[in-house]
Amino acid sequence: MILKIDFNSDEAFYLQLCNQIILGIAMETFCEGDPLPSVRSLADQIGINMHTVNKAYSILRQEGFVKLDRRRGAVISLDVDKLQAIEELRRNLYVVLARGICRNISRREVHQLVDEIYNVFSKNSGTEAE
């Protein structure tokens, strides 16, 4: 997976970077133990400030996707607390679903969309959707 920044997006660069790395983990482009590029290297590669990359890595560390190691740098490390992950997902979905309801998106359409997206990740991981 090549990490790219959309310089025309309204989304902050550090969020774009975080989201791309999380998607890479879900799609198994990045696996447990894989090193990420150094802050300086990635900043140069995609043309953003080192502090922006550092902020993204720090957020990913706080959220349990990355471990920062002095010798190895940023490494994919999935610190999974399922109950905490479910609660975080609940908080995020709450607003997303409220937006959909305001736009007259039905429960059936939401379920279809969730199944469709979940299946994209299931195909890559080799697991079946429950």
Side-chain angles (χ1 to χ4, degrees), residues 10-78:
D10 290 336
E11 186 175 43
F13 296 159
Y14 74 92
L15 287 176
Q16 289 184 48
L17 195 52
C18 286
N19 291 340
Q20 287 186 39
I21 291 170
I22 291 168
L23 286 169
I25 294 168
M27 302 286 287
E28 294 187 341
T29 302
F30 299 127
C31 298
E32 180 87 24
D34 285 351
L36 292 171
S38 71
V39 168
R40 184 180 311 254
S41 170
L42 186 55
D44 288 344
Q45 177 186 337
I46 58 180
I48 60 175
N49 189 292
M50 285 178 22
H51 297 295
T52 303
V53 175
N54 196 46
K55 184 173 184 173
Y57 281 6
S58 293
I59 289 169
L60 290 167
R61 181 190 56 77
Q62 290 170 0
E63 293 182 359
F65 292 102
V66 168
K67 180 187 273 186
L68 300 178
D69 182 293
R70 289 185 186 257
R71 292 172 295 188
R72 296 183 62 206
V75 178
I76 301 298
S77 176
L78 302 176

Side-chain angles (χ1 to χ4, degrees), residues 53-130:
V53 175
N54 196 46
K55 184 173 184 173
Y57 281 6
S58 293
I59 289 169
L60 290 167
R61 181 190 56 77
Q62 290 170 0
E63 293 182 359
F65 292 102
V66 168
K67 180 187 273 186
L68 300 178
D69 182 293
R70 289 185 186 257
R71 292 172 295 188
R72 296 183 62 206
V75 178
I76 301 298
S77 176
L78 302 176
D79 181 16
V80 178
D81 176 345
K82 190 167 183 176
L83 292 176
Q84 182 180 351
I86 288 171
E87 186 54 37
E88 179 185 351
L89 186 60
R90 181 186 314 279
R91 284 192 311 270
N92 291 330
L93 280 173
Y94 204 82
V95 174
V96 169
L97 290 175
R99 288 174 182 256
I101 289 167
C102 290
R103 293 184 171 107
N104 296 319
I105 297 172
S106 72
R107 178 186 302 257
R108 184 180 54 76
E109 290 168 321
V110 168
H111 283 255
Q112 287 174 336
L113 186 57
V114 168
D115 287 343
E116 177 185 312
I117 294 168
Y118 200 92
N119 286 336
V120 169
F121 296 116
S122 296
K123 287 177 188 172
N124 286 299
S125 68
T127 61
E128 286 297 316
E130 293 181 13

